[in-house]
Amino acid sequence: MGLDEFFVTGEPLIYAGMVAITLVSGAIIFLLTYFKKWKWLWREWLTTVDHKRIGIMYILSALAMLFRAGSDALMMRTQLAFPDMNFLNAQHYNEIFTTHGTIMIFFMAMPFLIGLMNIVVPQQIGARDFAFPYLNALSFWSFFFGAMLFNVSFVIGGAPDAGWTSYTPLAGDIMSQGPGQNFYLLALQLSGIGTLATGINLMVTILKMRAPGMTLFKMPIFTWSTFITMFIIVFAFPILTIALALMTIDRIFGSHFFTLAGEGLPMMWANLFWMWGHPEVYIVILPAFGIFSEVIATFARKRLFGYTVMVWSIILIAGLSFLVWVHHFFTMGAGAFVNSIFSVTTMAIAIPTGVKIFNWLATLYKSRIRTTTAMMWALAFIPSFTIGGITGVMLGMAAADYQFHNSYFLIAHFHYVLIAGTVFGCFAGLVYWYPKMFGHKLNERIGKWAFWLFVIGFHICFLPQYFLGLDGMPRRVFHIVPEWFNLNVISTIGAFGMGLGFAVFVYNIYYSYRYSEREQTGDPWDGRTLEWATPTPVPEYNFAVVPHVKEHDAYWDMKQKGETIYDESKVEPIHMPNSTGQPFIMSAIMFFASFALVFEWIWLAVAGLVTILVTMGIRSFDYDEGRHIDVEEIKQTERSARGL
Amino acid sequence: MSAHEENTTPLEYQTEDAQMNILGFWIFLAAEMALFGTLFATYAVLFGRTADAPAPMELFEPGTTLVMTLILLTSSFTCGIAVHEMRRGARKSMMTWLTITLALGLSFLGFEIYEFYHYASEGASLQSSAYWSAFFILAGTHGVHVTFGIGWMILLLMQLAQRGITSITSRKIFIIGLYWHFLDVIWIFIFTGVYLIGMVV
């Protein structure tokens, strides 16, 4: 294989990408060396098993991925702004919409939410860490290296171009030659391992590590939504694992699961993909529901209305999420009876979702609302998401779907639920928990600028697409005809508005780091749940004394009764896990093994696999039992953090 | 009262850490059920799609698979005895029973490799048709799990030799016991759903 086959050549945009990657990596290496930060980076971050730091790394990676996939989106919108644009060619356009979808779902939405869960869930339940801190670090690094593997594809080997759903036979080795599709399969496999491990980890954490007195129905709602999401992950991700593995074996080892030859069934892929893929939709929306519930209850200064019903509706949505996958391909010949069944189950999801909407509204009713930035994201979510939900019910009618499917109506629908639900939720959660993470608030004024730019841009971008869809504009086309010009140009303007909003959001992080007032109390929003009981910066052990929970909204209850959770006389030595570089190293080896398999260098991949097994064996002999933080140290940390 | 309780709790459950590990492993097994469930579903859908390759009826041998089944069932039994011996604190006898389990697992694998080789030489391989792809991947995934379990068990035997029965090693042994029984359950489904049905239909 020559170098010209290894690197992608012939595209000015990709050359620019290569230059950008080289410059950025060079700058990072230079800065780390210049400020002598390599040791700091390794000891404080790359080897950490602290759930709060891992959460921050998740969120940073997710923001970087939001930038990358957002740039993809802007390139697509530029290409579609005017009829017969020649900004991108057909092949490049295919690659860009594939990577946009894949990265947004796998490497932006999920890691962002998992990052917030990492930081918040142990603190909300009064725990000191995850059940398995080592495994948590491994989860993060396998996600991170999976994301990197996917991202190198556009400069090395070539990006996948068969859509984020990668339908066979198009994604098979006959119609998609070269390494692009392999990058998709192995990158998702690698990061999927981490996601499954997180699912198990958080389930055990929530089941076993709650503070005394916190029964299941006294758990904060975000923890509940996390718990149910982890159920979905544990049962849905193995399906993806198998689907990806079967397609990999089809492509690399010549089996016939999804081929047209050898009596394979290409439709099997669509079924397997969506049996995972539909639950995945709820994996990225239920945690966002949890965030909105927390934010709305805090800033409406009221207990969440209908807490129990909220929990049960999350459970019901999770159950139904497994029963609707065929609605993704009503038109692929399943027949009227099957379509009817899946049409009914699909529309049934609107019922518990509607219940939640009414509960949020009832929480706001007759409350004293504080319109902070986080609250504004939550308030904007309710009407925007409802538009997305209702058009979803329209798509759920099998007969009508024959008209809407594969059109921009569908594009508008799922962006309305995924952006107004998940992305608004991620932003609301980041702004809300930011003081807990970094010890200062994000600037409210700049935050509101980002909010308005993003939200107005969002509606300008996606509302026209409903009408474009009804006008017959199909998705995945790279040229538009003059009839679709007006609405497309409006949509593109909106997209750039969102881009600007994101830029302002990121600028706000820099600005607040420089100028925001440092947080003293640890409870900047007058919060209701236990994460606000810890001082800021949060000590690595979270709670010096494990709190006893009596009521729902435990911290609010304590504040009303004038109790504090910290009692110096009750401090005991705390057991904490040691930092370790193993998760990072193991994931790096998996990265290289997967990279070898992408290029079908079988022996190198086998060597990588053997190395992974050997490192697992070494890990098996590792009886590191952690260390204890002694009482004096805890007292000192608490005194300085609490300003005593 | 509390002393009495401590005595009745098995060693592997005595620390909070171990309890969490065991619960986590049960959840992992639930994920494994979803994984094998997907493979079984794939197999069922692709059943009969043999293209030009031989049909399963022509190749499956009742004798071999029955022997394999007996070997694996016995290994689950011996693994159970090992855990029983662990609770009695009898390290030597426990290691003996684990070694027997290991040997049975290895002989099972030997049969499976022979079987796969035999089918391939008769013209039924991973590349022959959709049905055979599904067969080899389903049975093969089980085989890979058995192989992994054997490697794991060897490592645990070494740790037992070094450290004896502690709260950590006993937890590890208990967990690999769960894993091993789980593989047995999966095999029962393969034996009935794949081999018995394949020999008749």
Side-chain angles (χ1 to χ4, degrees):
Chain A
M1 176 184 261
L3 267 187
D4 56 327
E5 284 171 81
F6 188 68
F7 289 108
V8 179
T9 52
E11 272 282 344
L13 277 170
I14 291 177
Y15 286 134
M18 287 176 181
V19 173
I21 290 173
T22 317
L23 286 180
V24 171
S25 335
I28 292 173
I29 292 171
F30 173 76
L31 287 174
L32 284 170
T33 315
Y34 186 78
F35 290 106
K36 299 193 173 69
K37 290 284 187 191
W38 283 105
K39 212 170 182 182
W40 164 83
L41 183 72
W42 176 256
R43 283 179 48 183
E44 300 287 317
W45 293 96
L46 302 188
T47 59
T48 187
V49 291
D50 183 341
H51 67 98
K52 298 179 285 293
R53 293 192 171 212
I54 290 173
I56 288 169
M57 291 195 289
Y58 264 118
I59 290 172
L60 282 179
S61 317
L63 285 171
M65 290 297 109
L66 182 58
F67 174 75
R68 194 250 140 124
S71 311
D72 284 347
L74 293 184
M75 283 196 273
M76 278 192 279
R77 278 321 314 170
T78 308
Q79 170 66 20
L80 293 177
F82 306 104
D84 294 320
M85 270 290 270
N86 282 314
F87 178 60
L88 302 171
N89 62 36
Q91 173 61 22
H92 201 178
Y93 187 83
N94 289 349
E95 292 175 2
I96 282 180
F97 77 64
T98 300
T99 52
H100 167 75
T102 312
I103 292 179
M104 281 295 193
I105 291 287
F106 286 95
F107 304 128
M108 193 289 285
M110 276 208 297
F112 208 131
L113 294 165
I114 289 176
L116 289 171
M117 291 168 187
N118 257 278
I119 293 161
V120 175
V121 168
Q123 298 195 65
Q124 275 198 333
I125 61 175
R128 288 191 166 131
D129 207 328
F130 270 46
F132 313 116
Y134 180 98
L135 187 66
N136 193 28
L138 192 62
S139 296
F140 170 74
W141 289 111
S142 72
F143 143 70
F144 180 82
F145 280 107
M148 290 304 109
L149 185 66
F150 192 81
N151 273 277
V152 296
S153 68
F154 88 102
V155 287
I156 296 174
D161 58 0
W164 90 279
T165 52
S166 284
Y167 282 141
T168 50
L170 175 61
D173 65 336
I174 292 170
M175 296 175 82
S176 288
Q177 286 173 349
Q181 191 58 29
N182 295 350
F183 269 116
Y184 170 94
L185 294 165
L186 290 156
L188 298 197
Q189 193 72 282
L190 185 49
S191 67
I193 297 168
T195 310
L196 181 62
T198 302
I200 295 170
N201 207 340
L202 269 169
M203 275 178 82
V204 178
T205 307
I206 294 172
L207 284 174
K208 284 281 189 184
M209 297 180 77
R210 297 192 309 277
M214 185 179 277
T215 57
L216 282 179
F217 276 87
K218 281 182 188 150
M219 286 197 314
I221 193 86
F222 178 63
T223 302
W224 253 115
S225 69
T226 300
F227 184 55
I228 303 300
T229 304
M230 295 306 132
F231 254 100
I232 306 181
I233 284 179
V234 165
F235 288 105
F237 262 77
I239 307 175
L240 179 72
T241 303
I242 291 297
L244 293 172
L246 298 185
M247 199 202 272
T248 311
I249 296 166
D250 259 10
R251 285 179 59 87
I252 298 180
F253 300 101
S255 61
H256 292 289
F257 290 101
F258 310 124
T259 57
L260 292 171
E263 296 197 38
L265 277 177
M267 270 306 289
M268 266 298 283
W269 171 264
N271 276 287
L272 290 179
F273 184 85
W274 286 114
M275 270 191 256
W276 159 81
H278 199 83
E280 167 68 18
V281 172
Y282 293 90
I283 292 172
V284 296
I285 199 64
L286 293 181
F289 285 176
I291 295 168
F292 291 126
S293 302
E294 300 286 3
V295 168
I296 287 174
T298 303
F299 294 115
R301 302 175 203 237
K302 255 174 83 179
R303 196 192 148 153
L304 183 69
F305 185 88
Y307 167 83
T308 318
V309 181
M310 288 295 241
V311 171
W312 282 107
S313 62
I314 295 174
I315 295 172
L316 198 59
I317 292 171
L320 285 170
S321 76
F322 281 94
L323 305 175
V324 303
W325 78 90
V326 172
H327 76 211
H328 292 269
F329 41 94
F330 276 150
T331 60
M332 291 199 210
F337 179 72
V338 172
N339 280 359
S340 307
I341 302 272
F342 283 92
S343 193
V344 171
T345 53
T346 300
M347 286 190 252
I349 288 193
I351 298 167
T353 314
V355 167
K356 297 183 74 67
I357 300 274
F358 284 114
N359 277 329
W360 287 313
L361 294 177
T363 311
L364 293 167
Y365 179 66
K366 283 195 173 173
S367 67
R368 288 169 297 137
I369 298 172
R370 285 179 288 166
T371 45
T372 59
T373 316
M375 185 62 162
M376 287 170 76
W377 285 109
L379 293 178
F381 148 78
I382 297 175
S384 311
F385 185 83
T386 306
I387 296 173
I390 287 170
T391 48
V393 177
M394 290 168 73
L395 283 158
M397 291 184 275
D401 185 71
Y402 276 76
Q403 184 65 26
F404 304 134
H405 86 107
N406 262 357
S407 79
Y408 262 72
F409 190 88
L410 170 72
I411 303 286
H413 155 70
F414 72 70
H415 283 91
Y416 255 85
V417 287
L418 282 171
I419 295 180
T422 305
V423 177
F424 286 15
C426 289
F427 286 167
L430 183 57
V431 175
Y432 178 59
W433 282 304
Y434 202 84
K436 198 75 326 203
M437 294 156 64
F438 295 104
H440 59 269
K441 284 185 191 175
L442 284 170
N443 183 285
E444 286 282 309
R445 191 172 46 86
I446 303 176
K448 281 175 187 167
W449 270 98
F451 167 82
W452 285 114
L453 282 168
F454 196 90
V455 172
I456 294 173
F458 161 71
H459 284 282
I460 293 176
C461 181
F462 292 104
L463 201 62
Q465 293 184 5
Y466 282 120
F467 300 98
L468 280 169
L470 296 176
D471 276 350
M473 179 172 160
R475 65 166 160 171
R476 297 172 182 141
V477 288
F478 84 114
H479 272 160
I480 57 165
V481 296
E483 287 80 2
W484 302 324
F485 163 63
N486 292 338
L487 290 173
N488 266 301
V489 80
I490 293 172
S491 178
T492 301
I493 293 168
F496 278 91
M498 292 168 78
L500 197 58
F502 176 69
V504 174
F505 197 105
V506 173
Y507 170 72
N508 195 11
I509 292 176
Y510 166 76
Y511 180 90
S512 309
Y513 167 70
R514 290 291 298 271
Y515 302 112
S516 265
E517 205 181 314
R518 301 299 107 163
E519 183 55 48
Q520 301 296 332
T521 59
D523 181 24
W525 311 116
D526 198 7
R528 310 177 70 81
T529 38
L530 278 179
E531 76 268 31
W532 303 110
T534 53
T536 310
V538 188
E540 59 168 330
Y541 49 78
N542 297 348
F543 296 89
V545 179
V546 174
H548 282 255
V549 175
K550 294 183 202 79
E551 288 290 322
H552 180 265
D553 283 348
Y555 189 47
W556 185 257
D557 176 55
M558 289 174 191
K559 283 194 284 191
Q560 300 302 312
K561 292 178 184 157
E563 296 166 5
T564 61
I565 68 155
Y566 179 62
D567 182 351
E568 208 166 70
S569 64
K570 286 189 188 158
V571 174
E572 282 168 23
I574 296 173
H575 177 247
M576 295 302 290
N578 284 325
S579 297
T580 163
Q582 285 178 23
F584 179 84
I585 293 165
M586 280 168 93
S587 305
I589 299 169
M590 286 199 270
F591 174 87
F592 287 112
S594 309
F595 188 80
L597 199 53
V598 163
F599 285 94
E600 306 185 19
W601 302 329
I602 304 298
W603 289 111
L604 202 56
V606 170
L609 184 69
V610 170
T611 320
I612 294 164
L613 290 173
V614 170
T615 49
M616 284 169 76
I618 294 170
R619 160 67 179 161
S620 173
F621 283 87
D622 180 1
Y623 279 67
D624 181 0
E625 284 166 35
R627 70 208 146 84
H628 281 88
I629 306 177
D630 59 41
V631 175
E632 265 321 296
E633 197 184 333
I634 298 166
K635 282 182 181 169
Q636 267 175 17
T637 315
E638 291 292 315
R639 276 184 201 142
S640 75
R642 290 169 185 276
L644 294 173
Chain B
M1 175 71 195
S2 69
H4 175 71
E5 261 177 9
E6 232 166 71
N7 286 339
T8 52
T9 315
L11 186 60
E12 68 270 14
Y13 274 105
Q14 278 178 8
T15 66
E16 209 179 317
D17 233 24
Q19 288 174 20
M20 290 200 292
N21 269 289
I22 292 168
L23 176 66
F25 198 79
W26 275 108
I27 299 172
F28 171 74
L29 287 184
E32 287 272 85
M33 294 237 298
L35 189 127
F36 275 103
T38 311
L39 284 175
F40 276 108
T42 308
Y43 176 84
V45 170
L46 297 177
F47 190 83
R49 305 181 79 87
T50 44
D52 299 328
M57 227 161 103
E58 299 165 36
L59 294 185
F60 286 168
E61 293 164 4
T64 321
T65 39
L66 197 63
V67 172
M68 285 167 77
T69 308
L70 289 176
I71 289 175
L72 206 62
L73 286 179
T74 314
S75 82
S76 220
F77 182 65
T78 55
C79 183
I81 297 177
V83 171
H84 179 76
E85 292 297 291
M86 172 180 89
R87 291 197 175 147
R88 286 200 321 132
R91 177 169 74 160
K92 265 210 172 141
S93 137
M94 167 200 182
M95 287 177 69
T96 313
W97 284 107
L98 274 183
T99 314
I100 294 171
T101 310
L102 197 70
L104 288 168
L106 274 172
S107 54
F108 171 86
L109 266 187
F111 273 103
E112 188 154 67
I113 291 166
Y114 157 78
E115 188 205 357
F116 282 8
Y117 177 77
H118 172 66
Y119 294 166
S121 63
E122 298 280 328
S125 71
L126 184 71
Q127 289 91 1
S128 308
S129 72
Y131 170 80
W132 286 107
S133 298
F135 168 82
F136 279 105
I137 293 300
L138 172 57
T141 306
H142 178 265
V144 167
H145 274 75
V146 173
T147 315
F148 189 81
I150 289 171
W152 188 2
M153 218 177 267
I154 292 171
L155 295 178
L156 290 190
L157 278 170
M158 288 158 72
Q159 290 171 34
L160 277 174
Q162 282 175 355
R163 294 162 184 274
I165 300 173
T166 68
S167 63
I168 295 181
T169 49
S170 65
R171 177 253 293 167
K172 289 185 174 190
I173 296 294
F174 182 75
I175 284 175
I176 201 175
L178 290 180
Y179 181 78
W180 201 258
H181 298 313
F182 171 77
L183 291 184
D184 216 0
V185 172
I186 295 294
W187 178 258
I188 299 293
F189 281 96
I190 293 179
F191 179 62
T192 49
V194 175
Y195 288 100
L196 289 187
I197 292 179
M199 279 178 232
V200 192
V201 181

